[in-house]
Amino acid sequence: MHEIICPHCDKVFKVDESGYAEILKQVRDSDFETQLHERLELAEREKQNAVELAKATVSNELQKTAAVRDIEIRDLKSKLDASEVTRKLAVTEAVSAVTKERDMLANAIAQAEQEKKAASDLAEALLASELQKVSVAKDDEIRDLKAKLKGVELEKRLAVTEAINAVEKERDELKNGIKQAELEKQLAEQALKDKYETKIKDRDDAIERLKDMKARLSTKMVGETLEQHCETEFNRARSMAFPRAYFEKDNDARTGSKGDYIFRDSDEAGTEFISIMFEMKNESDKTATKSKNEDFLKELDRDRTEKACEYAVLVSLLEPESELYNAGIVDVFHRYPKMYVVRPQFFLPMITLLRNASLNSLKYKTELALVKAQNIDITQFESQLETFKNGFAKNYDLASRHFQTAISEIDKSIDHLQKTRDALIGADRNLRLANDKAQDVTIKKLTRTNPTMAAKFSELRNQAAEAAE
């Protein structure tokens, strides 16, 4: 019976074991529900903060991207305006030069017609021909400028289109990112919900197991009852699973310490292939000082060594709230070799696993000994090794030749491309020289080797000088 004091009226109530357990369960369930509710609220607040931060980040990125695109568009517009001004100035200068040259040629023709009709006709024909060439050249230049202007306009439109497309693409990507974030948030919420539901189910299962274990345990002999439980479980399976096994209490205390149980098993020939030292630990809920599993590992390892056992297993109900030990079989190899800590429900599975592993190890050891006892044909091994080495050398030589051939072809391609590049550079140089020569052609140079035309132009210059005087 348990005595409970009411916190309001200070009265003392006596309740039995089942009533006390029910009250304790209600208190624990209430605390657990409160903690779970608080954690869910905290997770919801963190989720909202993450969403707000993502939205702010996306908005800032959109503003920055829009500002950069506006700057690029303004730069493109300024470059386009500058190119338009340059084109207009070039056209004006070209027209002015053509007009000036035309006026000069017209004056020369008028003066030549007054002096000599024949010379005037010839000079007019030559000047008309030259004027036509100049006009054609200027028309070509104007057409080139117009084509360049169209190209600049097209490039501007393409740049604006590309900028708009890039901004729209980034906008769509940001929208998709927001949708993805929302989906990930929903998945995270569902995963968190599933995780807590799983934890709640595991906690309920653990509580039910503990309730069942407490119902079976005696309040007088807690530790001995766990030993009796394990022994009973083993004896139930002995005839079917362990017909030749030895499982008895360790009563040898000559060294000052002893374990709880020793398990040994052997094959049909009587050869022992596995041995396990067991230690069972439990304590009542009323115990003031709670022990830990690690407190018994060192002593268990010493008992295992003194009794010449290969494995050591601690069957424990200590630390009932530990997720590590409640999850299943726990190895503590980092502390002691071949040592495990298990709950009582894993007692028989632990023996079965270790026994099967030892049987397989015994089988492999037997086969290895048989192989070592046989006479190995060293000559055949060396012959196969030599054949492999020769084949590998031939394959390497063939691959090396193919590799060198490929390198040679690459070098030839590089030489061919270099020659093509040099030819193109030479053609560009000749075109530039031809253009310079065409630009250097004048009426004087065309009539330099014609004495008649030279004399006519000399007379024209003299008459013009006399008229000026």
Side-chain angles (χ1 to χ4, degrees):
M1 299 294 288
H2 294 271
E3 293 185 353
I4 300 177
I5 300 174
C6 178
H8 300 288
C9 61
D10 295 331
K11 290 183 178 181
V12 178
F13 299 92
K14 292 185 178 181
V15 294
D16 55 8
E17 292 291 336
S18 60
Y20 180 75
E22 182 65 25
I23 293 173
L24 185 61
K25 179 180 181 300
Q26 292 178 3
V27 173
R28 291 180 177 175
D29 290 345
S30 176
D31 292 340
F32 180 75
E33 289 294 333
T34 301
Q35 293 178 4
L36 178 60
H37 182 69
E38 291 177 353
R39 292 184 180 178
L40 289 176
E41 289 183 350
L42 179 60
E44 182 66 23
R45 288 197 297 271
E46 292 178 352
K47 178 193 70 177
Q48 293 296 334
N49 293 335
V51 171
E52 293 297 330
L53 180 59
K55 290 182 178 179
T57 305
V58 170
S59 177
N60 292 334
E61 291 296 331
L62 284 174
Q63 292 179 359
K64 291 180 180 179
T65 304
V68 172
R69 296 305 178 190
D70 292 340
I71 294 173
E72 292 179 354
I73 292 172
R74 285 198 297 273
D75 292 341
L76 290 173
K77 288 183 178 179
S78 62
K79 290 180 180 179
L80 181 62
D81 295 338
S83 63
E84 182 70 19
V85 172
T86 304
R87 182 189 66 80
K88 290 181 179 180
L89 181 60
V91 172
T92 302
E93 291 179 354
V95 173
S96 176
V98 171
T99 303
K100 184 177 180 181
E101 188 172 355
R102 183 192 62 193
D103 294 340
M104 292 176 62
L105 291 174
N107 292 331
I109 292 171
Q111 292 178 2
E113 285 179 353
Q114 293 175 2
E115 296 294 334
K116 298 289 182 181
K117 186 70 170 67
S120 174
D121 294 339
L122 182 59
E124 184 179 0
L126 293 173
L127 290 173
S129 177
E130 184 65 22
L131 180 61
Q132 184 178 3
K133 291 180 181 180
V134 173
S135 177
V136 170
K138 296 303 179 182
D139 291 339
D140 292 339
E141 184 176 359
I142 292 171
R143 282 196 297 271
D144 292 339
L145 291 173
K146 289 182 178 179
K148 290 180 180 178
L149 178 61
K150 291 181 180 179
V152 171
E153 183 70 21
L154 181 59
E155 289 179 358
K156 180 194 74 173
R157 292 179 180 177
L158 289 175
V160 173
T161 303
E162 290 177 356
I164 294 173
N165 292 335
V167 172
E168 291 178 350
K169 183 179 179 182
E170 291 182 1
R171 181 199 62 194
D172 295 338
E173 289 178 352
L174 291 173
K175 288 183 178 179
N176 294 332
I178 294 174
K179 292 181 180 178
Q180 184 68 21
E182 290 290 337
L183 180 60
E184 291 178 355
K185 180 194 70 174
Q186 295 176 1
L187 293 176
E189 290 177 354
Q190 186 63 34
L192 184 62
K193 182 179 179 182
D194 295 341
K195 177 181 177 182
Y196 279 111
E197 288 179 354
T198 303
K199 286 186 176 181
I200 293 171
K201 186 177 181 301
D202 293 341
R203 184 68 60 85
D204 292 339
D205 293 342
I207 292 173
E208 291 299 326
R209 288 196 301 270
L210 290 175
K211 283 183 177 180
D212 182 67
M213 182 60 67
K214 287 180 180 179
R216 295 181 181 183
L217 289 177
S218 170
T219 57
K220 296 181 180 179
M221 301 177 64
V222 177
E224 293 183 3
T225 304
L226 178 58
E227 295 178 6
Q228 293 173 4
H229 167 76
C230 294
E231 184 175 359
T232 301
E233 291 296 318
F234 181 83
N235 289 331
R236 286 179 180 176
R238 179 194 291 271
S239 60
M240 294 180 294
F242 314 104
R244 291 183 296 274
Y246 167 89
F247 183 76
E248 300 292 342
K249 287 186 66 67
D250 181 17
N251 296 319
D252 186 3
R254 289 176 296 178
T255 59
S257 177
K258 64 184 182 68
D260 288 335
Y261 283 88
I262 296 178
F263 171 85
R264 300 181 188 274
D265 203 354
S266 57
D267 58 9
E268 295 179 355
T271 303
E272 180 181 305
F273 61 88
I274 184 173
S275 57
I276 307 173
M277 171 65 73
F278 282 99
E279 184 76 17
M280 285 70 169
K281 290 296 178 184
N282 189 19
E283 60 187 3
S284 173
D285 292 336
K286 299 179 181 181
T287 305
T289 303
K290 301 296 182 181
S291 300
K292 294 184 178 180
N293 291 318
E294 293 185 0
D295 299 339
F296 303 96
L297 299 182
K298 183 176 181 181
E299 182 180 356
L300 176 59
D301 183 65
R302 184 173 65 251
D303 294 338
R304 179 258 302 269
T305 303
E306 291 175 352
K307 304 303 168 57
C309 292
E310 182 180 3
Y311 294 96
V313 178
L314 175 63
V315 183
S316 171
L317 284 173
L318 305 180
E319 301 182 62
E321 302 298 329
S322 174
E323 295 183 1
L324 173 64
Y325 296 112
N326 291 336
I329 298 172
V330 179
D331 67 77
V332 287
F333 292 179
H334 61 286
R335 299 290 302 276
Y336 303 98
K338 296 185 178 181
M339 182 177 291
Y340 299 88
V341 179
V342 300
R343 294 303 189 194
Q345 61 268 29
F346 297 105
F347 168 68
L348 285 180
M350 187 75 250
I351 296 177
T352 303
L353 289 174
L354 295 179
R355 180 179 180 276
N356 293 339
S358 297
L359 275 175
N360 293 333
S361 176
L362 179 64
K363 177 182 176 181
Y364 295 142
K365 289 179 181 178
T366 304
E367 292 178 355
L368 180 60
L370 182 62
V371 170
K372 288 183 178 179
Q374 295 176 351
N375 183 17
I376 301 175
D377 190 358
I378 302 299
T379 305
Q380 184 180 0
F381 176 76
E382 291 179 350
S383 175
Q384 293 176 354
L385 179 61
E386 192 65 24
T387 302
F388 170 77
K389 289 168 63 177
N390 293 334
F392 183 83
K394 290 180 181 179
N395 291 334
Y396 175 81
D397 183 66
L398 181 62
S400 178
R401 288 200 298 271
H402 286 310
F403 184 75
Q404 294 297 330
T405 302
I407 292 177
S408 177
E409 293 297 326
I410 292 172
D411 292 337
K412 290 179 181 179
S413 299
I414 292 173
D415 293 338
H416 178 70
L417 292 174
Q418 185 65 34
K419 291 178 181 179
T420 304
R421 176 179 176 275
D422 295 337
L424 291 174
I425 293 174
D428 179 73
R429 187 184 304 109
N430 292 329
L431 289 173
R432 187 169 60 254
L433 293 175
N435 182 62
D436 294 338
K437 291 179 180 179
Q439 295 295 330
D440 196 39
V441 172
T442 61
I443 295 175
K444 292 181 179 180
K445 289 184 178 180
L446 290 174
T447 58
R448 184 176 297 167
T449 57
N450 191 333
T452 302
M453 292 303 300
K456 294 298 182 182
F457 277 102
S458 178
E459 284 182 21
L460 290 174
R461 286 195 296 272
N462 292 333
Q463 289 176 3
E466 291 174 359
E469 293 176 355

